[in-house]
Amino acid sequence: QKEVEQNSGPLSVPEGAIASLNCTYSDRGSQSFFWYRQYSGKSPELIMFIYSNGDKEDGRFTAQLNKASQYVSLLIRDSQPSDSATYLCAGKTGTASKLTFGTGTRLQVTL
Amino acid sequence: DVKVTQSSRYLVKRTGEKVFLECVQDMDHENMFWYRQDPGLGLRLIYFSYDVKMKEKGDIPEGYSVSREKKERFSLILESASTNQTSMYLCASSPGTLGGTQYFGPGTRLLVL
C-alpha cells in the first residue's frame, strides 16, 4: 500500500501563474515532508522540507502542511518555463532516515 | 555542497552478467541508499545502510546485494543481471541526525540485454 500519493498530472499552468502541487499521506506517524524537483533524465534535487503545521516559504516556493488532514502541498508563484519538471513528495516516519516517495506530479508551464 | 557521485552514467550489460554500481559521497553522511526508478512506479528503495558494514533491505531487494566497507562508499551488486533490472539507479546519502534530507547522485541508466 502506497503511503504517499500524488496525482501524476500533467498539471499545466500558464507562465506567471501559481502552480499548486498536492500530496496526501496515510501514515499519521509521518513527521516531516520533502519536496524534490526532477528534470527529465536527471536526479531529484531538494526544493524544501517542512515538519510543522502551516506554511513555510522559500523564495517563490511555499510548502504547506496540514497534519490533521494528512495533506502536504507545494505552491510555486510566478511559474516559469524552467519550473517544468516532475515534483516528488516524500515523507519521513520515525527515527530512521528512510523516506517514502510519491510517484510524482509532472508540471508543465506554458508560454 | 554535498556531492554524491556514481561510477557510471550509462551502462549496457548482458543477461547473466554480474554488475557493480558504485556510489561515493563526500559529506561524511552516515546513511546511504540505493533506489531504482521506473516510469509510473516512482522511486523504489532497494537497500540502505546506516553505518559501515550495516545494511537493511528496502522494498525490492530481490536480485540485488550491497556492500559498504567504507563510510563514503556504497556499492550495489546485481548478482546475475536480468532484463527486468533495466532501469535508472539512483544513490542517495543523508546525515544521521538532521531531518532526513537525502541528497542524490546523478543516476546510472542501466540497460540489460
Side-chain angles (χ1 to χ4, degrees):
Chain A
Q1 182 184 352
K2 196 67 179 175
E3 297 175 14
V4 176
E5 299 282 352
Q6 295 181 258
N7 188 318
S8 61
L11 172 67
S12 186
V13 300
E15 184 177 7
I18 296 175
S20 177
L21 302 156
N22 305 314
C23 171
T24 58
Y25 62 96
S26 58
D27 186 349
R28 286 197 172 272
S30 297
Q31 299 166 333
S32 49
F33 298 87
F34 302 78
W35 282 101
Y36 287 82
R37 177 176 62 199
Q38 186 175 23
Y39 292 113
S40 181
K42 302 293 186 182
S43 60
E45 53 182 336
L46 180 72
I47 299 174
M48 61 194 305
F49 64 88
I50 185 168
Y51 53 84
S52 298
N53 267 331
D55 295 1
K56 180 181 178 183
E57 189 173 316
D58 184 0
R60 295 188 296 116
F61 299 96
T62 298
Q64 300 175 317
L65 174 58
N66 184 324
K67 291 187 177 181
S69 300
Q70 296 178 243
Y71 182 91
V72 192
S73 64
L74 180 71
L75 302 179
I76 306 174
R77 288 182 298 282
D78 188 24
S79 295
Q80 301 297 309
S82 58
D83 294 325
S84 297
T86 296
Y87 289 79
L88 304 174
C89 171
K92 176 178 176 290
T93 304
T95 56
S97 292
K98 285 198 304 179
L99 298 180
T100 299
F101 285 85
T103 52
T105 298
R106 189 157 65 94
L107 173 67
Q108 291 178 337
V109 180
T110 56
L111 296 172
Chain B
D1 273 357
V2 176
K3 189 154 187 188
V4 182
T5 58
Q6 295 184 227
S7 49
S8 305
R9 292 300 306 275
Y10 301 95
L11 212 49
V12 180
K13 296 293 181 180
R14 298 262 177 218
T15 302
E17 278 192 79
K18 192 168 186 176
V19 181
F20 293 88
L21 302 181
E22 196 164 73
C23 175
V24 178
Q25 51 94 3
D26 67 356
M27 284 303 293
D28 202 35
H29 284 171
E30 284 78 10
N31 306 306
M32 297 187 75
F33 307 82
W34 275 107
Y35 296 90
R36 63 177 284 178
Q37 187 174 34
D38 301 287
L41 297 177
L43 280 165
R44 293 183 290 168
L45 182 63
I46 303 171
Y47 268 98
F48 69 100
S49 168
Y50 52 88
D51 202 351
V52 175
K53 296 191 185 294
M54 306 300 287
K55 62 184 179 184
E56 285 198 26
K57 293 180 180 179
D59 301 318
I60 52 163
E62 297 79 18
Y64 304 94
S65 62
V66 290
S67 171
R68 194 168 181 198
E69 296 296 318
K70 294 185 178 182
K71 190 174 186 180
E72 68 271 18
R73 196 176 299 264
F74 192 34
S75 300
L76 179 70
I77 303 149
L78 286 65
E79 297 290 342
S80 177
S82 63
T83 54
N84 63 12
Q85 292 179 310
T86 290
S87 187
M88 168 72 98
Y89 288 88
L90 290 159
C91 174
S93 72
S94 73
T97 54
L98 298 177
T101 301
Q102 293 185 14
Y103 300 90
F104 285 85
T108 296
R109 191 166 291 280
L110 173 66
L111 173 62
V112 183
L113 299 173

